[in-house]
């Protein structure tokens, strides 16, 4: 509704390859074959850059879910995957990674069309991230091992005892819409390395790249039934997956609300559960920094992916001596993150994923204003058909406001002043979440003190949202349970068996 109204928000034309993929019939990927649903229900695929419906996917029925779980169950129980040589599992996974790499450009475009993120960002972040998840975990297929352990209470030589690691079984994996392919690969990679079989469900807003991934699963040479990919709504298909008696483990990334529900629903059959949930991550700026470069970093921490990031740096704490300068710097840097249609090569962010998310984010901005917050920059949406929201900085906030307490999941940061390390440590921890935190300082002692004080699964120093597959990732408090990635990531897909033999 301001100067951006003169900029065109027209989405660019799709490539022929992308259009051909979108034109496919809605199908489910079960037992390495494309199969029709048991009913006619479908879900519209919308391009959030234009608000246009560009395809449809199956809205899986209970019977569809049951078929996918049965396929995964049979594939697990006869050992067609877990019984292979680890080298064979590793090589199949690496073939899948190579195939994704060979189709990287199409994946990036489909992600841009479906999610709204810039194709350039998908190509630089999402697709390489997905590939490295698979390559890192492929190596673990041959490195999972138990140990021989001397008993403590028995004399030496009377028993022989050892532990073995075994795959947990059939895994139901439910992923969100903010990094669709990356989240899908982050989920399937450790499960496959461990020898598990899978039913994967992408989010109803962003199913397209998971379906493209399914094409490559068969081509990579996975036995039928090892990776099944179904599309559908959360409260129906997702719920069926979570409650299914033949599922052994659930891995979920999404909202804290649904994570809690899934945790409860999994209890009846004591399924193993890992949850990666919401966040309200602090970004702490100490007074000794170079303000210009740190302000750009703080802007990136919240505005990357339009703030639709579980570890988004959505609470900015700047020391009172530099607060105004930091806010000024973040406001200036926000121009770089102005939203554009996802296929526009000049854009660094796109629209939000959906009308629902747009309404939620704009609702938070309005609530913040009503509660007395001031808008330092943004606070509005460009006039366009897609779901664009301008990068927004709110000041004059207090810890009671919903914009400070709740996850907004949009390009909105709330900024507060602090006086000293003790105060900022307690402000940073004044949240039910504990996923990530960024600390910006040149002083090593301050860095280490804050890294120790802040209750979060990951603390970044002089950077934000740096993710590496070798490092465990997950949440303290209500940001989740369990860890993904790294050695801990594979452990989440393994049971430990002790064997004790009397000699
Ligand atoms: P959501 O948590 O409802 O959806 C995430 C996934 O869970 C989707 O695949 C969905 O189909 C599935 N799901 C939904 N209800 C389910 C159920 N009853 N049983 C099993 N699976 C179910 O998230 P939504 O509604 O898309 O977004 C709402 C808010 O959640 C966002 O505004 C954001 O705050 C947060 N969120 C956090 C994410 C993260 O990365 N931590 C990712 C997506 C959303
Ligand atoms: Mg939901």
């Amino acid at each position: 509704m301001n100067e951006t109204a003169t900029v065109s928000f027209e989405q660019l034309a799709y490539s022929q390859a992308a259009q051909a993929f979108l034109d496919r019939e809605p199908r489910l990927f079960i037992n390495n074959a494309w199969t029709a649903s048991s009913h006619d229900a479908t879900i519209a695929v919308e391009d959030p850059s234009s608000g246009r419906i560009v395809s449809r996917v199956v809205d899986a029925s209970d019977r569809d879910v049951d078929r996918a779980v049965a396929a995964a169950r049979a594939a697990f129980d006869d050992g067609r995957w877990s019984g292979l040589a680890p080298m064979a599992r590793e090589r199949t996974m690496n073939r899948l990674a190579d195939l994704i790499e060979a189709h990287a450009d199409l994946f990036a475009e489909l992600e841009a069309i479906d999610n709204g993120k810039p194709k350039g960002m998908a190509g630089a972040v999402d697709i390489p991230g997905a590939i490295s998840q698979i390559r890192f975990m492929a190596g673990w297929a041959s490195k999972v091992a138990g140990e021989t352990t001397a008993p403590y209470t028995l004399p030496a030589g009377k028993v022989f005892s050892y532990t073995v690691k075994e795959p947990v079984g059939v895994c139901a994996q439910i992923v969100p819409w903010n990094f669709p392919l990356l989240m899908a690969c982050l989920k399937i990679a450790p499960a496959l390395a461990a020898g598990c079989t899978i039913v994967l469900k992408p989010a109803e807003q962003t199913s397209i790249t998971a379906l493209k991934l399914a094409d490559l699963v068969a081509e990579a040479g996975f036995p039928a039934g090892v990776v099944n990919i179904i599309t559908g709504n959360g409260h129906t298909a997702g719920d069926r997956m979570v409650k299914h008696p033949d599922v052994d483990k659930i891995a979920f990334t999404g909202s804290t609300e649904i994570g809690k529900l899934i945790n409860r629903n999994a209890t009846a059959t004591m399924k193993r559960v890992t949850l990666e949930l919401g966040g309200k991550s602090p970004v702490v700026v100490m007074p000794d920094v170079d303000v210009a470069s740190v302000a750009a970093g703080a802007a990136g921490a919240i505005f990357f992916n339009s703030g639709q990031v579980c570890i988004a740096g959505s609470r900015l704490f700047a020391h009172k001596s530099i607060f105004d300068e930091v806010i000024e710097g973040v406001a200036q840097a926000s121009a770089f993150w102005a939203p554009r249609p996802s296929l526009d090569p000049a854009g660094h962010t796109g629209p939000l994923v959906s009308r629902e998310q747009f309404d939620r984010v704009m609702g938070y901005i309005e609530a913040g204003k009503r509660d007395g917050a001031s808008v330092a920059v943004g606070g509005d949406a460009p006039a366009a058909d897609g779901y664009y929201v301008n990068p927004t900085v709110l000041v004059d906030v207090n810890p009671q406001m919903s914009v400070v307490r709740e996850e907004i999941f949009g390009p909105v940061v709330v900024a507060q002043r602090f006086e000293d390390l003790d105060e900022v440590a307690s402000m940073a921890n004044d949240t039910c979440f504990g996923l990530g935190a960024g600390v910006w300082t040149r002083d090593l002692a301050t860095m280490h003190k804050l890294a120790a004080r802040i209750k979060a699964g990951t603390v970044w120093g002089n950077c934000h949202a740096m993710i590496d597959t070798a490092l465990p990732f997950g949440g303290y408090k209500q940001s989740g349970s369990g860890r993904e990635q790294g050695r801990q990531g594979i452990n989440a897909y393994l049971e430990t068996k002790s064997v004790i033999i009397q000699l």
Side-chain angles (χ1 to χ4, degrees):
M1 333 292 163
N2 47 31
E3 73 274 13
T4 50
T6 55
V7 177
S8 167
F9 281 89
E10 195 73 31
Q11 175 67 303
L12 279 78
Y14 302 169
S15 72
Q16 271 181 8
Q19 190 58 54
F21 195 82
L22 296 171
D23 289 343
R24 298 205 326 196
E25 288 294 308
R27 290 285 182 270
L28 302 163
F29 186 76
I30 299 174
N31 257 329
N32 274 6
W34 289 107
T35 147
S37 170
S38 73
H39 66 178
D40 290 334
T42 57
I43 298 171
V45 175
E46 188 179 18
D47 179 343
S49 295
S50 63
R52 275 182 32 237
I53 306 296
V54 297
S55 186
R56 303 199 76 85
V57 297
V58 169
D59 182 7
S61 67
D62 285 356
R63 282 181 56 198
D64 295 334
V65 173
D66 293 353
R67 272 195 300 141
V69 172
R73 186 80 257 167
F76 184 75
D77 288 347
D78 70 11
R80 74 185 77 160
W81 178 242
S82 63
L84 292 180
M87 185 175 79
R89 286 211 305 277
E90 177 180 340
R91 291 183 69 173
T92 311
M93 291 180 68
N94 278 322
R95 273 199 300 275
L96 179 62
D98 292 346
L99 284 165
I100 298 171
E101 197 165 43
H103 293 84
D105 193 65
L106 178 58
F107 272 112
E109 183 182 357
L110 290 172
E111 208 72 296
I113 292 168
D114 201 13
N115 165 279
K117 69 180 64 200
K119 183 185 171 194
M121 282 290 179
V125 178
D126 296 61
I127 315 306
I131 293 165
S132 65
Q133 294 290 341
I134 298 173
R135 289 197 174 132
F136 176 83
M137 283 297 172
W140 276 106
S142 59
K143 281 139 202 100
V144 164
E147 50 189 16
T148 53
T149 308
Y152 176 59
T153 57
L154 298 168
K158 293 292 177 194
V159 300
F160 178 59
S161 50
Y162 58 95
T163 62
V164 279
K165 298 284 186 185
E166 295 181 346
V168 71
V170 173
C171 302
Q173 304 188 312
I174 300 174
V175 294
W177 43 259
N178 51 345
F179 295 89
L181 183 74
L182 175 52
M183 290 289 144
C185 292
L186 177 107
K187 288 284 183 283
I188 67 170
L192 291 170
C196 295
T197 62
I198 292 162
V199 178
L200 172 79
K201 191 192 82 61
E204 50 271 33
Q205 298 87 345
T206 55
S207 298
I208 294 297
T209 49
L211 293 173
K212 178 64 202 164
L213 177 68
D215 272 351
L216 307 183
V217 162
E219 199 179 335
F222 288 93
V226 173
V227 182
N228 305 280
I229 300 181
I230 61 171
T231 55
N233 278 301
H235 63 282
T236 52
D239 187 63
R240 184 80 170 183
M241 289 165 70
V242 168
K243 293 176 180 163
H244 205 294
D246 285 334
V247 168
D248 302 301
K249 179 191 164 75
I250 301 160
F252 171 80
T253 297
S255 63
T256 294
E257 180 198 356
I258 298 297
K260 290 177 181 175
L261 177 69
I262 286 176
N263 215 21
R264 284 198 296 276
N265 288 339
T267 306
T269 49
M270 280 311 289
K271 293 181 174 67
R272 278 62 183 135
V273 181
T274 41
L275 302 170
E276 202 269 273
L277 309 176
K280 193 77 179 173
S281 298
V283 170
V284 176
V285 183
M286 298 307 284
D288 61 23
V289 299
D290 169 43
V291 171
S293 67
V294 171
I302 181 63
F303 299 136
F304 166 66
N305 215 45
S306 304
Q308 301 169 123
V309 184
C310 53
I311 46 181
S314 51
R315 289 184 300 143
L316 174 60
F317 298 101
H319 189 264
K320 62 174 188 179
S321 65
I322 53 167
F323 182 84
D324 293 336
E325 256 183 287
V326 171
I327 297 307
E328 178 59 32
V330 173
Q332 273 172 22
S334 72
F336 176 85
W337 300 101
R340 303 289 309 133
S342 65
L343 297 179
D344 182 339
H348 301 106
T349 61
L352 302 187
V353 72
S354 63
R355 158 75 56 190
E356 185 188 1
Q357 198 61 20
F358 176 89
D359 289 342
R360 185 179 288 146
V361 171
M362 292 310 288
Y364 272 113
I365 293 174
E366 290 315 313
K369 290 177 187 168
R370 266 199 315 277
D371 292 345
S374 311
V375 177
V377 70
D380 59 355
D385 292 331
Y387 308 127
Y388 306 91
V389 174
N390 287 322
T392 297
V393 180
L394 299 179
V395 294
D396 302 326
V397 297
N398 66 57
Q400 281 72 48
M401 294 181 184
S402 64
V403 285
V404 175
R405 304 216 71 79
E406 296 170 22
E407 180 175 58
I408 299 176
F409 228 61
V412 183
V413 63
V414 293
Q416 292 164 270
R417 292 176 170 78
F418 69 90
E419 291 205 14
D420 60 29
L421 191 145
D422 285 334
E423 187 191 21
V424 78
S426 75
M427 288 170 97
N429 286 330
D430 180 20
T431 169
C432 67
F433 298 112
L435 199 54
V439 177
W440 300 76
T441 177
R442 289 173 170 154
D443 183 59
L444 269 181
T446 303
M447 182 68 79
H448 285 297
K449 281 180 193 163
L450 280 171
R453 293 275 291 273
I454 295 174
K455 293 179 172 56
T458 304
V459 178
W460 291 281
N462 297 322
C463 62
H464 198 90
M466 193 110 58
I467 299 281
D468 187 276
T469 39
L471 283 153
F473 182 82
Y476 280 38
K477 301 196 267 183
Q478 294 185 33
S479 287
S481 64
R483 291 293 179 272
E484 299 186 298
Q485 302 190 147
R487 182 193 294 262
Q488 291 193 39
I490 181 115
N491 280 338
Y493 289 89
L494 296 167
E495 294 279 11
T496 302
K497 177 183 283 176
S498 292
V499 181
I500 305 162
I501 301 166
Q502 186 169 304
L503 300 175

